[in-house]
Amino acid sequence: MSDILYVNGGTPLHGTITVRGAKNFVSKAMVASLLGETPSRLSNVPLIRDVEVVSGLLDLHGVAVHYDTAAGVLDLDPSNVETAHVADIDAHAGSSRIPILLCGPLLHRLGEAFIPDLGGCAIGDRPINYHLDILRQFGAVVDKRAGGIHLRAPRRLQGTKISLPYPSVGATEQLLLTAVRAEGITELSGAAIEPEIMDLIAVLQKMGAIISVDTDRVIRIEGVERLVGYHHRALGDRIEAASWASAALATGGDIMVKGATQPEMMTFLNTFRKVGGQFDVLDDGIRFWHPGDKLNSIVLETDVHPGFMTDWQQPLVVALTQASGLSIVHETVYENRFGFTNSLTKMGATIQVYKECLGGAACRFGQRNFNHSAVISGPTPLRAADITVPDLRGGFSHLIASLAAQGRSTVRGIDLIDRGYEFFQDKLAALGADVERGCS
Ligand code: EPU
């Protein structure tokens, strides 16, 4: 059974919506609570499926989780942490990648951890080799078994010196969550420095960790014996905010996104302005709108922070189908993040994908078999279609395309969007969209 959204498109979105805490921070802060000896409280937590999945995983490990969904407050008490059954972890994790990040905290607390097989996904292979190398370097014994990977810490994990071949967000988080309670000093070079990572460092510091961040992607951690719980308000979701901004641009609308913040969105805002969108930074959020003029084509390359986020790319590409001329987008974070353009082409967009690194420096996917550059020719009117959501952000792009298109579209598999977009259907209704949910 798949959830469907019927969308009567062609109406500009107008109105105000609110974004709460960042999906890609909240789940990590929840995991960090495992490291404390006392309860933690996280606020500004969105009601999304990823939060439910991580709550379930923590619950399986003996963490008492209480979530006041209306207030967005999550209380996490790790006093009774215990080893969970492998089959339960496997059944509960679904497609979530969070079990990998439980490893460091569980190795400290219990001396062992288990990661179910995670597999690839629609946007790329998403290997975990950096994570396993990091855990090995701390002294963990990694044992690949049927159904997953078992890890053991024969003695207290030891601080170490590590250099990442690529500034991976997850691997940097893995290192932080492991190093804070390891014995001695850990130094990471080539670290990811996304705002969500900085907020995780803020949480860990509140818990008693000693972490310094240099300007050259070097992070140093002095391990401590014990950590306590934290009280923290999650930073806002800059991916969701940019998704609504792109929806305003693609539909010719005007959306006030409460909870959007300028410092974390600087790079997006520059690009949004270059395309021809307008915005106003206000005390409680950012208003994004289409001024009614022609939109401009651009050359864009995704990158790690402070570059243009890969997760902003998919929604913005829909707006680029309405820009005049040829836009070039070079995706350098994931090897396979243009699959979603097939549906846009079906809806009338002119998009060609290439294996070459177009419009920027050569990246690690060049000369390999990955369609990771796209050329978008516009403006092209979009027409309604029957389409299926491929992944979370690609799914939101499909939603934007169907809102911009004339006619009634059928968007299948939209339950995937519930993973990361809180109350998106209510928000669409508040913005004047004509949508109806069904299932088949
Ligand atoms: N990589 C490896 N080996 C590893 C880990 C990563 O080769 O062991 C590669 C990946 O294959 C990818 C690149 O490094 O090509 C970057 O991956 P990264 O580890 O930075 O990504 P992640 O931690 O798995 C998080 C977000 C993603 C977001 C990326 C980049 C979460 C739960 N996910 O993933 O968010 O795209 O960082 O910012 O935090 C989303 O929200 O839809 C989403 C996919």
Side-chain angles (χ1 to χ4, degrees):
M1 247 205 357
S2 125
D3 278 18
I4 294 178
L5 200 69
Y6 299 103
V7 180
N8 288 311
T11 312
L13 298 184
H14 278 273
T16 300
I17 49 109
T18 300
V19 299
R20 293 205 280 185
K23 161 179 114 42
N24 290 346
F25 161 76
V26 165
S27 45
K28 327 296 170 60
M30 291 172 73
V31 173
S33 72
L34 269 173
L35 290 162
E37 285 176 11
T38 53
S40 290
R41 171 169 284 190
L42 186 61
S43 58
N44 202 27
V45 177
L47 184 55
I48 50 175
R49 227 190 32 254
D50 268 24
V51 168
E52 287 170 21
V53 169
V54 183
S55 296
L57 280 171
L58 291 176
D59 179 67
L60 283 177
H61 286 92
V63 178
V65 182
H66 178 264
Y67 183 20
D68 178 339
T69 53
V73 175
L74 200 51
D75 285 299
L76 304 145
D77 183 351
S79 318
N80 297 310
V81 168
E82 59 191 39
T83 309
H85 292 291
V86 169
D88 292 340
I89 302 175
D90 204 5
H92 203 88
S95 59
S96 167
R97 306 182 62 76
I98 298 300
I100 317 172
L101 293 179
L102 294 175
C103 290
L106 290 177
L107 286 169
H108 285 303
R109 291 208 57 153
L110 305 169
E112 63 171 339
F114 174 77
I115 317 170
D117 283 334
L118 296 161
C121 72
I123 59 176
D125 241 3
R126 306 191 76 183
I128 56 167
N129 52 331
Y130 302 164
H131 294 256
L132 297 180
D133 288 349
I134 287 171
L135 292 163
R136 280 195 195 96
Q137 261 190 261
F138 277 107
V141 178
V142 177
D143 184 12
K144 295 196 180 171
R145 295 186 184 165
I149 299 170
H150 183 258
L151 297 107
R152 259 176 327 112
R155 62 184 185 118
R156 186 171 173 200
L157 298 179
Q158 301 292 303
T160 178
K161 204 165 173 171
I162 298 178
S163 176
L164 278 176
Y166 183 80
S168 152
V169 169
T172 301
E173 291 161 344
Q174 179 75 264
L175 179 125
L176 287 167
L177 292 165
T178 309
V180 283
R181 275 190 56 187
E183 189 173 353
I185 294 177
T186 297
E187 182 181 283
L188 174 67
S189 49
I193 50 163
E194 268 60 9
E196 292 75 17
I197 291 178
M198 293 303 133
D199 215 24
L200 180 63
I201 290 176
V203 161
L204 293 169
Q205 188 178 51
K206 285 179 178 176
M207 297 178 80
I210 302 170
I211 304 173
S212 61
V213 184
D214 285 354
T215 47
D216 54 356
R217 295 193 178 276
V218 173
I219 299 181
R220 274 185 204 84
I221 302 112
E222 277 179 49
V224 294
E225 292 269 349
R226 55 186 293 270
L227 294 168
V228 293
Y230 64 83
H231 278 209
H232 191 79
R233 180 180 165 84
L235 86 169
D237 197 315
R238 63 196 174 117
I239 306 177
E240 185 185 354
S243 302
W244 291 111
S246 298
L249 204 54
T251 63
D254 184 338
I255 303 182
M256 169 66 192
V257 184
K258 283 191 174 175
T261 49
Q262 184 181 21
E264 292 78 19
M265 294 190 73
M266 289 256 176
T267 309
F268 179 82
L269 295 174
N270 286 335
T271 302
F272 191 79
R273 181 168 277 160
K274 283 201 259 183
V275 176
Q278 290 194 4
F279 60 87
D280 199 3
V281 179
L282 301 161
D283 284 349
D284 57 347
I286 306 179
R287 177 185 157 214
F288 298 92
W289 73 97
H290 187 311
D293 307 332
K294 261 185 3 174
L295 298 182
N296 312 310
S297 52
I298 51 161
V299 177
L300 180 67
E301 187 164 85
T302 63
D303 206 347
V304 294
H305 190 77
F308 190 93
M309 286 188 93
T310 169
D311 307 280
W312 289 333
Q313 177 262 104
Q314 289 160 302
L316 190 74
V317 161
V318 184
L320 292 179
T321 66
Q322 303 310 305
S324 299
L326 287 184
S327 293
I328 298 175
V329 181
H330 182 203
E331 168 61 57
T332 75
V333 180
Y334 290 112
E335 68 272 28
N336 194 21
R337 212 167 195 179
F338 283 123
F340 76 103
T341 60
N342 290 337
S343 295
L344 301 189
T345 307
K346 188 169 154 188
M347 297 174 83
T350 306
I351 303 177
Q352 183 75 45
V353 290
Y354 294 90
K355 293 186 174 56
E356 288 75 12
C357 300
L358 299 184
C363 77
R364 63 210 160 104
F365 306 135
Q367 306 303 321
R368 296 172 67 193
N369 223 9
F370 302 124
N371 283 324
H372 72 292
S373 293
V375 177
I376 304 126
S377 172
T380 45
L382 299 177
R383 49 179 184 270
D386 188 328
I387 51 181
T388 302
V389 164
D391 61 88
L392 177 60
R393 309 297 168 193
F396 201 84
S397 309
H398 283 185
L399 211 51
I400 299 176
S402 61
L403 291 160
Q406 292 296 333
R408 182 177 166 90
S409 291
T410 303
V411 188
R412 296 177 192 275
I414 53 140
D415 33 319
L416 252 179
I417 298 175
D418 292 326
R419 264 193 56 207
Y421 291 89
E422 182 183 39
F423 307 135
F424 75 88
Q425 214 180 311
D426 296 343
K427 291 180 186 176
L428 287 172
L431 296 172
D434 181 357
V435 297
E436 187 192 328
R437 198 151 178 163
C439 61
S440 73

